[in-house]
Amino acid sequence: MISPIVSVSREGRAPGVASLVEALEGGAVLMFPGLDFPFSPFEERFVERPFADGKAKNVNIRGGAAELRGASGSAEEQEALRQLLIRYRRFAEGLIDRYLPAYTGKVALAGTSYRPFDVDRRKLSWRRDDTRLHVDAFPSNPIGEKRILRVFRNINPKGEPRRWRVGEDFGSMAEKFLPRLPGYSPLSARLLAALRVTKARRSEYDHLMLHLHDALKRDMEYQAKAPQADVHFAPGQTWVTFSDLVMHGAMGGQYMLEQTAYLPVAAQVHPEKSPQRILAAKLGRPLQ
Ligand SMILES: [Fe+2]
């Protein structure tokens, strides 16, 4: 089954969907066509040219202090961009509170990013090529028993859509790839943490997700032939998905805002629909 895109009205209704949170946990992308997030006249400059130092892909704020990283522009412009990201973080939090109230008080908001560049189509390396279908996994930042929930918004000023591909459901993908993945070594996980290659011990789940990410991106036949669909997100649209569960590739588009949030598996309405539990079920044992 290909991940469905579920269009949600301002009132929180979606045709044929009884519960937004259940659709989301089941692997849907929730798309909100008409939520307001207006820019002030001063802020319009942020979608006229990239205010980025060009060293990193994105500009972001992190942590309680919301320190801005990777930006360019005058001090006044950088402060305005920081305030815009703080406002977007509140917008994403408000969206979760209103449309996914089961997660209120349970999600932890992480980084907020401004993505002013076109999707990177230079073929730097297959591993960093996000046009290839993949699920998100972070090499240096073990996720363990957390889920990656992301809130995206297209802020392109010229009508240009954000173009994605979405792929088949996680379970079907995992069945094809799990037999090819190398086994987990608790010893090397402890070593990576001791050497500070990872910020915490890499769990078996993290190990599997990193190898899935790489195996998927390396397999050009799978990339071309696997079940998939093109999706266009128009400017002004906001979409929400578990990016560790939903197979996706970013094909094009410029100017986007993104909020990452972490949710403990145990805080899900249906923990058994998490990639953690799906992988354990496919292996027939709990993960280490
Ligand atoms: Fe991704």
Side-chain angles (χ1 to χ4, degrees):
M1 190 193 76
I2 294 175
S3 296
I5 312 298
V6 171
S7 182
V8 185
S9 76
R10 199 180 278 264
E11 295 72 37
R13 281 192 291 270
V17 170
S19 154
L20 294 181
V21 75
E22 293 202 15
L24 183 71
E25 291 189 5
V29 178
L30 302 182
M31 193 279 285
F32 300 82
L35 301 181
D36 297 320
F37 187 76
F39 277 38
S40 71
F42 186 88
E43 289 168 341
E44 272 160 26
R45 72 194 63 208
F46 300 128
V47 292
E48 283 161 3
R49 64 183 177 85
F51 280 72
D53 65 15
K55 285 178 205 140
K57 261 199 309 195
N58 305 317
V59 174
N60 59 63
I61 54 168
R62 294 244 173 109
E67 197 186 321
L68 188 70
R69 292 192 300 194
S72 68
S74 69
E76 185 191 16
E77 286 167 333
Q78 292 199 35
E79 180 54 23
L81 182 54
R82 181 174 161 267
Q83 292 300 332
L84 174 73
L85 288 175
I86 291 172
R87 205 167 78 237
Y88 185 68
R89 183 166 68 185
R90 278 202 300 268
F91 166 85
E93 193 172 27
L95 184 155
I96 293 169
D97 284 348
R98 171 147 190 216
Y99 298 103
L100 302 165
Y103 296 163
T104 296
K106 295 173 178 168
V107 287
L109 297 179
T112 316
S113 66
Y114 157 69
R115 304 183 177 200
F117 295 115
D118 205 336
V119 167
D120 199 348
R121 302 189 65 86
R122 293 169 300 169
K123 299 296 181 228
L124 292 173
S125 76
W126 57 265
R127 190 176 274 124
R128 290 173 62 193
D129 181 1
D130 285 335
T131 67
R132 302 190 189 198
L133 288 167
H134 65 281
V135 283
D136 287 348
F138 306 138
S140 63
N141 193 5
I143 286 292
E145 279 284 293
K146 294 196 297 283
R147 302 295 313 282
I148 306 172
L149 182 65
R150 290 186 139 164
V151 180
F152 302 93
R153 184 176 174 94
N154 184 350
I155 54 168
N156 188 281
K158 292 180 180 158
E160 199 186 326
R162 193 78 177 179
R163 293 182 290 114
W164 269 26
R165 280 192 289 164
V166 291
E168 64 182 331
D169 63 276
F170 188 91
S172 303
M173 175 277 287
E175 244 161 58
K176 292 171 194 157
F177 283 87
L178 263 182
R180 306 188 203 170
L181 305 184
Y184 173 67
S185 156
L187 182 66
S188 73
R190 277 202 299 275
L191 198 63
L192 288 173
L195 294 171
R196 300 183 190 254
V197 175
T198 55
K199 291 177 187 153
R201 188 185 71 95
R202 188 179 282 174
S203 66
E204 184 176 19
Y205 171 69
D206 291 300
H207 164 87
L208 291 172
M209 290 297 277
L210 281 173
H211 284 281
L212 270 178
H213 173 274
D214 288 2
L216 283 162
K217 283 189 172 177
R218 210 163 31 209
D219 188 336
M220 290 314 281
E221 185 169 324
Y222 181 82
Q223 291 291 328
K225 294 186 182 158
Q228 56 191 277
D230 293 319
V231 189
H232 288 188
F233 299 104
Q237 292 185 343
T238 306
W239 62 105
V240 181
T241 200
F242 280 112
S243 63
D244 52 0
L245 179 74
V246 171
M247 294 276 294
H248 61 281
M251 308 313 292
Q254 189 180 6
Y255 294 114
M256 185 173 74
L257 296 175
E258 175 270 338
Q259 175 68 50
T260 299
Y262 295 121
L263 178 79
V265 172
Q268 287 188 234
V269 174
H270 295 291
E272 72 276 12
K273 293 187 173 174
S274 64
Q276 284 88 343
R277 300 296 176 271
I278 294 172
L279 289 172
K282 300 277 178 208
L283 290 170
R285 59 169 175 80
L287 302 182
Q288 303 179 56

